[in-house]
Structure formats: C-alpha cells, structure tokens
Amino acid sequence: MIELPVGLPAELVPLSWLLGVWEGSGVIDYQVGDESVTREFGQRVSFSHDGLPHLNYTSYTWLFPAEAGGDPVPLTTETGYWRLARPRGEGDPGPAMLPAAAESAYTDAEQVEALRNAEGGFDLEVPIVHPDGVTELYLGQVKGPRIDLATDAVIRTSGAKPYAAATRLYGLVDGHLLWAWDIAALGQDLRTHASARLAKAE
C-alpha cells in the first residue's frame, strides 16, 4: 500500500509510488563497434516534492571496484523534474518567477482524472540534465506502477560526447524500483545501455 504524503499536489498522485530515496545496484552493458563495456554500479535515487506539481529527481551513481578491497569510483549524477503533461495556464506560476494569477485548475482527483489519455495513463514530461553537457527532454506516460519514456529532444554543448536519443522504462515490482535505459550514442543506434534494481532506503 502506498501512503500519500501530507500536502502532495493532486497532480502527483499518479507518480506517488516513486516518492522516496531508493538504493541498489545495476549493470552497464553497452556495445560500441567490436568493443563492449560491462560494469557493475551502485545507485542512489531520490524523488521528492516541495508542494509544486512536479517531482524533484536526483541520481548519483558509482562504479564498484574492479578488485576486492578497492574503493568505489564516482561515476555520474543527473537531476530533473517529472510532471504530468498539460497546458500551463493562469493557475500556474511562470514563466520564470511570475506568480500564478489564479487558482490551480487541478486541485482534486476528479480534475486530475480529466488528464487521462486514451490508453488510460497520464502523459509525462521529464527534463533531465547531466553534468557532461547533455540535457534530455523525455515524453511518455505513467500507467499504474509503470513509466515509459522516450526522448523528444536532446541538447548537447559543443564539448559533449555524441548522444542522440534514449528511452527509459521504470516499474515497481515486489516493492522494488526497476529501471532500464537504452541510448543511441557514440554513433550507435538505440541499444541496451544500463539497468538496475533499487530498494526503498528512506
């Protein structure tokens, strides 16, 4: 059973099963030409909210040492925001720091239910920023305890490595958060990249 935090905006109820801190491990398995990269990693993921109609997302990963007794090696971080896709109106703050000019149109379950798509899920918008000069905008849907995402846009700085597209899949299975991430990078077509199984830590 999922307990809803006090003050959770109605729009976040379809995503509420993500809330909390998750920790676990996974495997990187990516083929580039004839070379294959296969490594085990640890991960700590946090989904939180601050009263606004989006989830705050952060992820920190590290490589497990190749030899027993070695120290973990920091790998990468990412941060982003997860929200239901809908037009923004007078009841929403923005752009920038402009305050809302009216009450939100999505304050109860009935109003949020009107956002369901033809497949019975809720459309999502998920921007994720990486420290290596890549920013992704994912579109997709949440349907029960499953999320499917695919990049709609990828922005790279001039110094970033080639990275063209990605898909991500998240699911809640037996109380664990499972995810898989496919990428098209370094001149390769979309293919398997990494996956992990995380348990609730907080």
Side-chain angles (χ1 to χ4, degrees):
M1 182 176 173
I2 297 172
E3 247 182 72
L4 298 180
V6 175
L8 184 72
E11 287 181 68
L12 295 185
V13 171
L15 294 167
S16 59
W17 54 273
L18 289 170
L19 284 166
V21 176
W22 304 82
E23 289 185 350
S25 62
V27 176
I28 302 162
D29 187 7
Y30 193 63
Q31 186 86 23
V32 181
D34 295 329
E35 299 294 321
S36 179
V37 176
T38 304
R39 292 291 302 269
E40 289 186 65
F41 65 89
Q43 183 180 33
R44 181 179 174 89
V45 167
S46 171
F47 289 95
S48 64
H49 83 95
D50 48 20
L52 295 170
H54 61 260
L55 292 183
N56 303 307
Y57 163 77
T58 59
S59 167
Y60 171 68
T61 55
W62 59 93
L63 293 174
F64 290 133
E67 298 178 2
D71 293 326
V73 179
L75 181 58
T76 191
T77 60
E78 54 183 26
T79 188
Y81 302 95
W82 298 52
R83 69 182 191 188
L84 298 192
R86 63 164 178 81
R88 304 291 135 173
E90 292 295 310
D92 298 296
M97 293 181 66
L98 295 175
E103 293 295 319
S104 172
Y106 302 95
T107 57
D108 61 41
E110 185 177 347
Q111 293 166 329
V112 174
E113 278 297 311
L115 295 174
R116 279 196 188 271
N117 59 31
E119 297 176 24
F122 294 90
D123 293 330
L124 294 178
E125 299 171 347
V126 180
I128 294 179
V129 179
H130 304 260
D132 59 3
V134 172
T135 298
E136 305 166 285
L137 172 60
Y138 286 93
L139 301 181
Q141 77 164 354
V142 55
K143 188 175 182 182
R146 177 185 169 120
I147 293 172
D148 293 272
L149 299 171
T151 48
D152 182 61
V154 174
I155 300 171
R156 295 185 297 119
T157 62
S158 60
K161 293 181 179 179
Y163 184 96
T167 62
R168 299 194 191 205
L169 168 67
Y170 294 80
L172 188 64
V173 180
D174 295 330
H176 287 78
L177 179 63
L178 276 61
W179 64 257
W181 184 8
D182 294 354
I183 64 172
L186 303 176
Q188 309 298 301
D189 294 331
L190 193 69
R191 61 185 61 189
T192 300
H193 165 56
S195 60
R197 181 184 182 95
L198 311 177
K200 199 71 162 289
E202 295 177 20

